[in-house]
Amino acid sequence: MIDDLKTVGVSTYENIKRDIIFGNLPPLKKLKLQELKENYNTSISTLREVLSRLSGDGFVCSQEQRGFFVSPVSKGDLIEIAHLRILIESHALKKSIKNSNPEWEGELLSTHHKLNIYENDMLKKGIDDKKKWKKYDSEFHQALIKNCGSNNLIELHKLIFDKYLRYQFLVLTFRGKGSINEHKKLLNYTLEKNYSKAQEVLEEHIKNGINHAIENLSDK
């Protein structure tokens, strides 16, 4: 019974977080417990626990006497999250490269292959399925740091990446050849075990993404 409740709590947390990331629950939306209960088919007590956890993770904020709201967005917050992502992902990438092995390299090639095909289709055929694109993009970046040897580092990166991903769904558009070339260089330097160059390209890649998106995000 306790395990079932934990499973419900975890799935509810992931479902609400996903809807915040995808923008189905937009910034500053009031999260009414009764409405959430109906939409996510769970209890009020579970929802209170889930919203408290989402608040601790930065996806939800609470105001005394007013309840829970989806966290706001701003240029300053995006820049801070991006800098944290650079710091964490760059460190984890270096550790992954130092731990390099054939299985990890094979996974990198596989995830990049899917991303590369889809990004080229976006460029040549005008395909614009942002959810599918970011799925492949996320899988590649998660694979880059998967071999770092630290579950805590992987979990911390996932939290920051999800916050960054939320902004990507809100304001990011495809940068075309720039994004494709950066991903290719990132893969090549990683496979060459040149972590300093890989880190350099990663930082450039994230900063270029910010600069491309920032003009579409007004300060809140």
Side-chain angles (χ1 to χ4, degrees):
M1 180 65 177
I2 294 176
D3 288 342
D4 289 342
L5 291 175
K6 287 182 178 179
T7 300
V8 171
V10 169
S11 63
T12 303
Y13 169 87
E14 292 296 339
N15 288 338
I16 295 177
K17 184 176 75 169
R18 180 198 61 220
D19 283 341
I20 292 173
I21 291 171
F22 286 174
N24 298 329
L25 295 173
L28 297 176
K29 176 177 173 59
K30 183 172 175 58
L31 299 171
K32 300 176 181 178
L33 291 175
Q34 190 59 43
E35 184 178 301
L36 294 175
K37 178 183 177 182
E38 295 172 2
N39 290 343
Y40 296 96
N41 192 29
T42 191
S43 67
I44 295 293
S45 60
T46 296
L47 284 168
R48 290 186 187 279
E49 293 176 6
V50 165
L51 292 176
S52 294
R53 183 182 170 192
L54 286 166
S55 179
D57 287 345
F59 293 99
V60 166
C61 58
S62 60
Q63 298 179 11
E64 192 172 352
Q65 305 300 323
R66 294 193 62 203
F68 292 97
F69 296 80
V70 176
S71 292
V73 295
S74 69
K75 289 182 181 179
D77 186 53
L78 170 58
I79 291 170
E80 182 178 359
I81 289 169
H83 286 165
L84 283 171
R85 183 186 162 194
I86 290 170
L87 182 67
I88 294 167
E89 192 167 331
S90 181
H91 176 63
L93 175 59
K94 180 178 178 179
K95 289 174 70 69
S96 284
I97 291 172
K98 286 188 171 184
N99 294 332
S100 186
N101 58 66
E103 290 76 18
W104 175 62
E105 292 175 2
E107 184 170 353
L108 280 179
L109 287 166
S110 175
T111 55
H112 177 267
H113 180 66
K114 288 184 287 186
L115 174 61
N116 186 250
I117 288 175
Y118 198 76
E119 285 195 320
N120 274 287
D121 281 347
M122 291 175 73
L123 183 65
K124 297 173 183 177
K125 301 177 183 178
I127 296 171
D128 189 21
D129 184 341
K130 189 178 287 188
K131 288 183 181 180
K132 194 169 184 179
W133 169 39
K134 297 320 298 180
K135 174 181 181 293
Y136 291 142
D137 180 74
S138 177
E139 287 174 353
F140 175 61
H141 282 277
Q142 299 296 336
L144 284 169
I145 64 103
K146 183 179 180 179
N147 202 42
C148 70
S150 169
N151 288 332
N152 287 323
L153 189 53
I154 290 171
E155 289 175 7
L156 182 58
H157 173 266
K158 179 66 165 58
L159 177 62
I160 296 301
F161 194 91
D162 281 347
K163 290 184 178 184
Y164 188 82
L165 192 61
R166 180 187 179 211
Y167 278 94
Q168 290 183 310
F169 276 109
L170 285 171
V171 299
L172 187 66
T173 55
F174 181 47
R175 291 188 291 114
K177 288 184 179 179
S179 177
I180 292 171
N181 291 338
E182 288 157 12
H183 282 140
K184 181 63 175 175
K185 287 194 293 182
L186 188 51
L187 173 71
N188 288 341
Y189 283 131
T190 298
L191 293 177
E192 291 169 9
K193 301 179 178 58
N194 190 338
Y195 62 77
S196 61
K197 281 291 187 180
Q199 289 174 311
E200 183 180 309
V201 172
L202 176 65
E203 182 171 353
E204 175 191 6
H205 176 64
I206 295 172
K207 286 183 175 178
N208 285 343
I210 299 172
N211 293 335
H212 186 71
I214 204 79
E215 61 190 35
N216 299 319
L217 184 66
S218 59
D219 275 314
K220 303 293 180 180

